[in-house]
Amino acid sequence: MQYAFVATFAVILAVLMIIFTISDESLTGALLPELIGFSLDGLLFIGVLSLIQRKRDHDSKHELKQSLEIHTTLLIEAIKTGNPFHWSKHAMHASQMAPLKEYANTLYQGLENGSVTLGSLQIKAFIETADEIYETLVGLFPVAAQISSKHLAAWSSVVSTIRFSKNSYISAKEKHDAGEPLQWPEQSDLAFTIKEFLTAAYYISNEESRT
């Protein structure tokens, strides 16, 4: 709509300029104030319209970012709480990144230097939630693409790491169904994956990790 108005305004202005050029001096003198006034009003309207559209685009992208962010924080919450029923929690009830940033930073650094030990329930909650929401994460690719190419790349990293976590959960379940003792992956198996996930999650939420 904005671009259609700009094009229409440009055509009208061009027509007026042609009339102004070929008209005699008396008509030119009469048209000049009108032409100036029309041009100024049109430029002012285009400027206001551009500001409104920019604000709408910004708000729309902010909402899209939040829809991605809550799906990443749902997984961070899974590790933090170790709740065995966390997989059933809907993403709409997940926290934003800001309240979880301190824990996420501690988790990342702890996995990096080995100062954090994840319990079996924390690992179970994470990979089980990953299995539960994986298809939803894949379905959010178009949302990430609407924000920017960098957000799409970051979301691809999120989906890749969660796919690995989902497969770890499925593998453990299949072995158990085959008669083997139920055993979740070790922290060492998932440490790199979780760190990669956190790095992408930081970017999605525009938060920076503290190093």
Side-chain angles (χ1 to χ4, degrees):
M1 179 180 178
Q2 174 186 347
Y3 299 111
F5 176 81
V6 172
T8 302
F9 174 74
V11 170
I12 295 174
L13 184 60
V15 171
L16 290 176
M17 288 295 295
I18 292 173
I19 296 173
F20 178 80
T21 302
I22 64 177
S23 299
D24 58 40
E25 186 174 342
S26 60
L27 183 59
T28 298
L31 283 175
L32 182 58
E34 297 298 327
L35 181 60
I36 293 174
F38 176 77
S39 300
L40 293 177
D41 288 344
L43 291 174
L44 178 61
F45 185 77
I46 291 173
V48 172
L49 192 63
S50 297
L51 289 175
I52 293 174
Q53 186 61 45
R54 190 177 304 171
K55 177 67 165 54
R56 287 177 178 173
D57 291 343
H58 177 271
D59 291 344
S60 176
K61 287 189 175 182
H62 179 69
E63 291 180 2
L64 293 175
K65 287 178 184 178
Q66 286 188 321
S67 69
L68 298 181
E69 180 179 329
I70 58 175
H71 285 85
T72 62
T73 55
L74 182 68
L75 289 155
I76 296 173
E77 287 178 338
I79 302 175
K80 183 178 181 180
T81 64
N83 181 352
F85 301 106
H86 187 79
W87 61 269
S88 63
K89 182 176 181 177
H90 197 284
M92 67 181 294
H93 301 301
S95 168
Q96 296 296 321
M97 177 63 88
L100 289 172
K101 185 180 179 182
E102 187 70 25
Y103 174 76
N105 280 322
T106 300
L107 175 62
Y108 185 99
Q109 294 171 17
L111 292 172
E112 181 77 12
N113 58 33
S115 62
V116 165
T117 300
L118 298 179
S120 60
L121 285 180
Q122 290 176 289
I123 292 175
K124 175 183 180 295
F126 177 70
I127 63 176
E128 197 169 19
T129 303
D131 175 68
E132 181 67 21
I133 71 169
Y134 175 73
E135 298 300 331
T136 300
L137 300 185
V138 173
L140 288 171
F141 267 117
V143 174
Q146 289 183 62
I147 302 173
S148 72
S149 59
K150 291 184 177 180
H151 280 82
L152 178 59
W155 195 248
S156 179
S157 180
V158 168
V159 172
S160 178
T161 56
I162 299 311
R163 183 190 303 115
F164 178 86
S165 305
K166 165 191 172 69
N167 290 339
S168 297
Y169 173 76
I170 292 175
S171 177
K173 290 286 290 180
E174 287 177 345
K175 290 179 180 178
H176 178 63
D177 292 341
E180 297 183 25
L182 182 59
Q183 184 172 354
W184 303 118
E186 300 290 337
Q187 177 174 319
S188 57
D189 299 324
L190 294 172
F192 179 78
T193 299
I194 294 175
K195 288 191 297 178
E196 287 293 302
F197 161 72
L198 288 173
T199 299
Y202 287 138
Y203 184 83
I204 291 295
S205 63
N206 293 324
E207 295 278 2
E208 294 183 359
S209 59
R210 188 179 63 206
T211 56

